[in-house]
Amino acid sequence: MSVEKILIVDDDPHIRNACAESLKMEGYAIKTAENGEEAIEIIKKDFFNVVITDLKMPGIDGIEVLKQVKRISPETEVILTTAYGTVETAVGALKIGAYDYITKPIDLSELDFIIIRCIEKQELAAEVGEFKELVNLYEVSKAVNSVMKLPDLLNFIINLACDTLSADGGSIMLMDEKTKELVVMASTGVRGNLVLKKRLRLGERVAGYVAQESQPVLINGDVKDNSKFNNLEGFDGIKSGMSVPLVRKNKTVGVINLNRMSAESKFTERDLKLLSVFAVQAGIAIENNCLFSALEEEKEKLNAIFSEMGDAAVITNDEFKITMLNQSAKNLLNIKDKEYQNKNFIELFSEFNPVASLEKLRIEKSGVFNFDLVKPEKHPLYLSVLTTKILDANGNVAYYIFVLRDVTNERREEKIKRNFLSLISHKLRTPLVSIIGYFSILKQQGTLKKLNDIEKNALKTIEKSGQALNGLIDKLIWFTSIEIDSLELYKESMGLEDLIKNSLGSVPASSTPDVQISISPEIKKLPKVHVDRTKIEQVLQNLIENAIKFNKKKEKIVDIRAKVMNDFIQVVIIDNGTGIASKEFPRLFQKFYQIDDYFTGQVEGVGLGLAFAKRAIEAHKGKIWVESELDKGSKFYFTLPVPSPKISH
C-alpha cells in the first residue's frame, strides 16, 4: 500500500518540526521547506498528496505557493495555516483552490482530522476518475458493435477520449490506402474545423511519425525541445500531446491524437497507456464499421439485382414463410405489395400440380433442386422452379431461394415437337414394315440366289439401311413416349445382372472379337432393383453401345461395375475410349446433341441415346452423370433406388 506524502512549508522551524513529528507518527511520509521558493522547487520534482503552508511568509507567500501547486500538480490539496488576523485572506484562498485552513496555534489533532478528510477526498476523486474511465471505455466497447455512420463513430470516440483524459482537443486520422496519407476524419477543440480533412504524409509531423513507426508518442513541452522529434514540426500552442497508432491485424489504419494547451497540465505515461486502450477499441470499432458498410453496400447491390431480375425470385425461411420476393414474382403470382408477408410459399401454389412435391424439398439432399409446377386449366400454365438451399454455420437450412420462370410456351413447343416426332415415327414405320417384310419374303423364297452379284449387294444394302432406319425409329418412339409429362413406369423386381445381360443381347457389336466386356462378380450379390425393366435395359443398351461405338481403339474394353451407396445402387460403365472434354458435360444429355464430328470420328447417330437415359433414370428417382478425361476413357454413372423391404421380390 502506498504511503501518503505531505510537504510542510513554514518559516518557523518550531511549528515546522512539531507538525512533521506529529504526522510522521500517523504514518505519513514528510518533507519540509522553510520558505515558498524552496517549496516550489520540491513540488516540481516530486508529487505530494497534501501541502501544508503558512499563509504569511517572507518572499513567496502561501497564496503564491497555492497557485504554483495547482499549476504544477492539480491533484495535490493545499491546507493553509494562518493567524486570526489573516482568516479573511485564508477564506478567500479557498475560492482559488485551497482545501481548508487552520488557525494558529495549530491544534495537531484538528490538523490530523483535516488531512484525513483531505486524503479521503483524493481517494474518492481518484475512484470517480477511474469509474469515469471505465464508463467511457465501456461506451467505446459498445461502439465496436454499433451501426453508426463512420463520421459519427469517429466523433463519438474522440469526444469520449478527450473527456476521459481531460484533453483540450484531439483528432482521429485514417490512412488513405491509395495515397498512403493520413486524413483527419474527426477532430474537436479549438482547431477542430481548421484541421478537418487535412492530410499528412507518412513521417510528417508527430502523427505521421507515429503512423510510420507504429509506436505511441508522448511529448510534453515544445516539439523542438525534444531531441528525438526536433526535426519534426509541431502545432503552435500545444504544450502536451499524445499520439497513438490505430492498428488492426498488424496494420496501421490511422492515428488518434490528444492535446492540452496549458503548460501546467501535462499528460502522463498512465494517460498514454489509457489512450492506447482507447486506440485498440477504436481500431476494432472502425474495422467493424468498414465491414458493416461494405456489407450494407453489397446488400444494396444484391437487393437492386434481386429487384431487377427478369425471372421471378422468392426467398423463404426454413419453414417456407416468404421473407422477400421481387417485382417479377409479384407480377407472375399476381401479388400486391405487403400481401406476401407471413404467407407460406407452398400455399401460394395450392392450385398447381408439382411434378416434384414441394414438401420433398425438406428431405432433398442436394443444394440445388429443379422441378415444374403445372396449373391444369384449359390452357395449362407451366412454371419451372429452380430451388437453392442456403445453409447456416451448422449445416442446417436457413433459407430457400426459388427462381420461377413461366415456361408455358417452351413446354407447348416441346409437346408439339414430341407429337411431331411421334407422328413422323409412326408414319415412317408403316412403309418400313413393308420394305423389311417383303425383303424377308424374298429371302425365304430363295429369290436372292437367282440374282447377280450387283443385285444381291443392292438388296443387302436395302436390308441394312432398313434395319438401321428401324432402329432410329424405335429410339424416336421410345423418346417421345418417355417425354410425356406423366411417365408411367411398369416396375418389377429384377436382378441387376439379368438386366445387364439382357441389354448386351441387344448390342450386336458387343460380340465382335475386338470388344472385351467384363461384368463385376459383385453385381450378383447386390439386392434386386424395382424398375421398369424395358426402360432400364434400354438405358444400359445405349450406354454400352456408346462405349463401343465411340471408341476408336483397336481393342475396345468395357467394364461394368456396381455397388450399394446409402439408399441407392450405383452403376458405372467404364470404357478405354477417347474420352470427353469437360466443356461437353453440361450439354451431353441434351436432346439431339452430338459432340463435334472431329471428336467422335463421324460416328452416325441422332443424339437421343443419352437424353433418353437421363429421362428414364430421373423417372426412377435416380441420377446420371459422367466423369471423363481426354485420352483416358469415360465413366458413365447412374443410380437406382434400393427398393423398400415392403416390395415383394
Side-chain angles (χ1 to χ4, degrees):
M1 180 181 245
S2 61
V3 177
E4 289 81 7
K5 298 167 69 175
I6 299 175
L7 175 64
I8 301 171
V9 188
D10 203 302
D11 57 340
D12 186 333
H14 297 292
I15 295 176
R16 193 169 66 238
N17 293 334
C19 290
E21 290 302 320
S22 175
L23 294 175
K24 282 181 181 178
M25 293 176 64
E26 297 298 329
Y28 298 111
I30 306 299
K31 270 195 175 185
T32 62
E34 61 183 25
N35 55 55
E37 290 86 353
E38 183 183 357
I40 291 170
E41 291 302 317
I42 293 173
I43 291 167
K44 287 180 179 179
K45 298 176 182 178
D46 202 356
F47 171 79
F48 291 88
N49 297 88
V50 181
V51 172
I52 303 169
T53 180
D54 189 10
L55 187 58
K56 291 292 185 178
M57 291 184 296
I60 295 178
D61 63 6
I63 295 297
E64 186 61 28
V65 170
L66 168 63
K67 292 178 180 178
Q68 292 297 323
V69 167
K70 288 301 176 183
R71 181 182 66 81
I72 298 169
S73 179
E75 298 85 1
T76 300
E77 298 294 349
V78 178
I79 300 171
L80 297 172
T81 61
T82 181
Y84 284 111
T86 56
V87 168
E88 186 177 348
T89 305
V91 172
L94 295 178
K95 297 179 181 180
I96 60 173
Y99 176 74
D100 207 343
Y101 70 92
I102 187 169
T103 58
K104 294 180 179 180
I106 297 173
D107 183 339
L108 294 176
S109 62
E110 182 184 359
L111 177 62
D112 185 45
F113 178 72
I114 293 173
I115 291 173
I116 289 173
R117 285 189 307 157
C118 184
I119 298 296
E120 287 176 347
K121 178 197 171 186
Q122 282 185 330
E123 290 176 347
L124 181 60
E127 289 177 3
V128 169
E130 290 177 359
F131 179 72
K132 180 180 179 182
E133 292 170 2
L134 289 174
V135 169
N136 286 350
L137 281 172
Y138 171 69
E139 291 297 325
V140 175
S141 68
K142 284 201 303 183
V144 168
N145 297 315
S146 74
V147 293
M148 286 188 283
K149 298 295 184 183
L150 185 60
D152 296 333
L153 175 66
L154 297 179
N155 281 310
F156 175 75
I157 292 171
I158 193 63
N159 282 304
L160 268 182
C162 286
D163 180 56
T164 304
L165 291 158
S166 302
D168 296 322
S171 65
I172 292 179
M173 313 174 80
L174 297 184
M175 185 73 71
D176 185 331
E177 289 299 327
K178 292 182 179 178
T179 63
K180 296 301 179 183
E181 293 177 315
L182 290 171
V183 184
V184 180
M185 302 299 294
S187 61
T188 185
V190 294
R191 298 176 180 274
N193 294 331
L194 296 175
V195 300
L196 201 60
K197 299 299 180 182
K198 292 288 186 181
R199 289 176 172 264
L200 287 181
R201 298 184 303 274
L202 288 179
E204 184 181 0
R205 295 186 182 271
V206 176
Y209 171 87
V210 169
Q212 187 176 57
E213 301 298 324
S214 196
Q215 292 292 329
V217 165
L218 167 63
I219 298 178
N220 286 316
D222 197 319
V223 173
K224 299 297 183 184
D225 297 333
N226 190 305
S227 59
K228 188 175 182 180
F229 305 108
N230 57 16
N231 63 321
L232 300 176
E233 186 179 354
F235 284 106
D236 294 335
I238 294 178
K239 302 304 180 184
S240 183
M242 296 187 292
S243 294
V244 175
L246 301 174
V247 180
R248 289 305 299 150
K249 298 178 180 176
N250 297 321
K251 182 180 179 182
T252 299
V253 296
V255 176
I256 182 169
N257 310 291
L258 293 185
N259 62 71
R260 288 176 181 170
M261 312 304 286
S262 171
E264 291 78 22
S265 180
K266 299 176 181 177
F267 290 120
T268 65
E269 289 293 335
R270 181 181 181 278
D271 295 331
L272 187 64
K273 290 179 181 177
L274 185 58
L275 183 59
S276 296
V277 176
F278 260 88
V280 171
Q281 295 287 54
I284 296 172
I286 291 167
E287 181 184 41
N288 286 358
N289 186 277
C290 292
L291 290 173
F292 181 79
S293 298
L295 287 174
E296 281 291 299
E297 186 177 340
E298 289 301 315
K299 180 182 175 183
E300 290 177 5
K301 289 180 182 177
L302 289 174
N303 283 340
I305 294 170
F306 182 76
S307 299
E308 298 301 321
M309 282 177 62
D311 290 336
V314 181
I315 299 177
T316 76
N317 64 11
D318 61 325
E319 296 297 327
F320 299 114
K321 293 288 185 182
I322 298 174
T323 58
M324 287 181 66
L325 75 168
N326 64 2
Q327 189 59 47
S328 296
K330 294 175 187 176
N331 296 339
L332 179 65
L333 304 175
N334 196 24
I335 296 176
K336 295 180 181 179
D337 287 340
K338 307 301 181 183
E339 279 188 359
Y340 66 87
Q341 291 182 346
N342 296 319
K343 284 197 173 183
N344 190 290
F345 179 78
I346 296 175
E347 292 172 359
L348 289 179
F349 298 96
S350 58
E351 298 180 4
F352 285 75
N353 294 327
V355 173
S357 172
L358 285 166
E359 290 292 347
K360 290 183 179 179
L361 288 171
R362 298 181 188 277
I363 58 173
E364 176 65 29
K365 294 181 180 180
S366 63
V368 179
F369 185 57
N370 186 257
F371 58 92
D372 276 4
L373 291 170
V374 185
K375 191 174 185 179
E377 296 175 338
K378 183 178 180 181
H379 300 289
L381 173 65
Y382 290 83
L383 297 179
S384 175
V385 185
L386 178 66
T387 306
T388 304
K389 292 181 180 181
I390 306 299
L391 306 181
D392 60 21
N394 298 319
N396 299 318
V397 176
Y399 298 99
Y400 290 96
I401 300 177
F402 298 91
V403 178
L404 301 92
R405 289 178 57 241
D406 183 348
V407 293
T408 303
N409 290 335
E410 294 175 28
R411 296 294 182 264
R412 188 180 294 120
E413 289 177 5
E414 289 175 2
K415 186 175 182 180
I416 292 171
K417 289 177 182 177
R418 287 198 304 271
N419 292 341
F420 175 75
L421 288 173
S422 179
L423 177 64
I424 290 298
S425 299
H426 286 89
K427 291 292 184 183
L428 289 174
R429 175 60 59 84
T430 302
L432 188 59
V433 168
S434 298
I435 293 171
I436 295 175
Y438 280 117
F439 184 82
S440 297
I441 292 173
L442 291 174
K443 286 177 68 176
Q444 291 173 1
Q445 293 180 351
T447 307
L448 296 180
K449 296 178 181 178
K450 303 175 183 178
L451 303 177
N452 59 40
D453 291 342
I454 295 176
E455 292 169 334
K456 288 179 181 179
N457 289 333
L459 285 175
K460 286 181 181 179
T461 301
I462 292 172
E463 179 187 28
K464 184 179 179 181
S465 298
Q467 290 173 346
L469 182 58
N470 189 53
L472 290 176
I473 291 173
D474 283 341
K475 286 186 177 180
L476 282 173
I477 292 173
W478 271 108
F479 189 77
T480 53
S481 67
I482 205 167
E483 275 284 272
I484 61 174
D485 295 330
S486 180
L487 179 66
E488 291 187 14
L489 299 176
Y490 302 96
K491 294 184 178 180
E492 56 183 306
S493 293
M494 292 285 296
L496 185 58
E497 186 180 36
D498 292 335
L499 290 169
I500 294 170
K501 288 181 176 179
N502 290 343
S503 302
L504 287 172
S506 301
V507 183
S510 63
S511 58
T512 57
D514 61 338
V515 176
Q516 295 181 18
I517 296 179
S518 61
I519 302 173
S520 171
E522 296 297 318
I523 290 177
K524 289 183 179 180
K525 304 175 184 179
L526 297 177
K528 291 184 177 181
V529 288
H530 196 62
V531 296
D532 185 314
R533 178 183 63 82
T534 309
K535 293 179 177 60
I536 297 303
E537 284 182 2
Q538 186 68 41
V539 169
L540 287 163
Q541 178 185 333
N542 288 342
L543 294 177
I544 295 168
E545 193 174 67
N546 284 351
I548 298 170
K549 183 167 62 175
F550 294 103
N551 191 339
K552 296 186 290 184
K553 294 184 178 179
K554 291 182 178 180
E555 186 179 20
K556 308 177 194 325
I557 299 174
V558 180
D559 186 12
I560 305 172
R561 304 175 188 174
K563 62 181 178 181
V564 176
M565 292 188 67
N566 299 322
D567 298 328
F568 291 85
I569 288 179
Q570 177 182 284
V571 181
V572 56
I573 296 173
I574 307 168
D575 66 62
N576 67 330
T578 311
I580 303 169
S582 58
K583 68 178 182 178
E584 306 286 350
F585 292 175
R587 296 176 292 173
L588 200 58
F589 295 94
Q590 292 178 4
K591 292 173 286 187
F592 305 111
Y593 178 74
Q594 285 187 294
I595 301 173
D596 294 338
D597 288 345
Y598 77 88
F599 179 72
T600 61
Q602 298 184 350
V603 177
E604 294 180 359
V606 292
L608 288 175
L610 291 180
F612 169 85
K614 183 176 186 295
R615 187 71 173 89
I617 293 299
E618 289 179 350
H620 284 81
K621 308 303 180 187
K623 294 181 181 180
I624 185 168
W625 68 97
V626 63
E627 292 178 1
S628 183
E629 290 184 52
L630 291 176
D631 300 322
K632 293 185 178 180
S634 302
K635 296 179 181 179
F636 279 86
Y637 295 84
F638 67 86
T639 59
L640 294 170
V642 174
S644 166
K646 294 180 181 180
I647 298 174
S648 60
H649 293 269

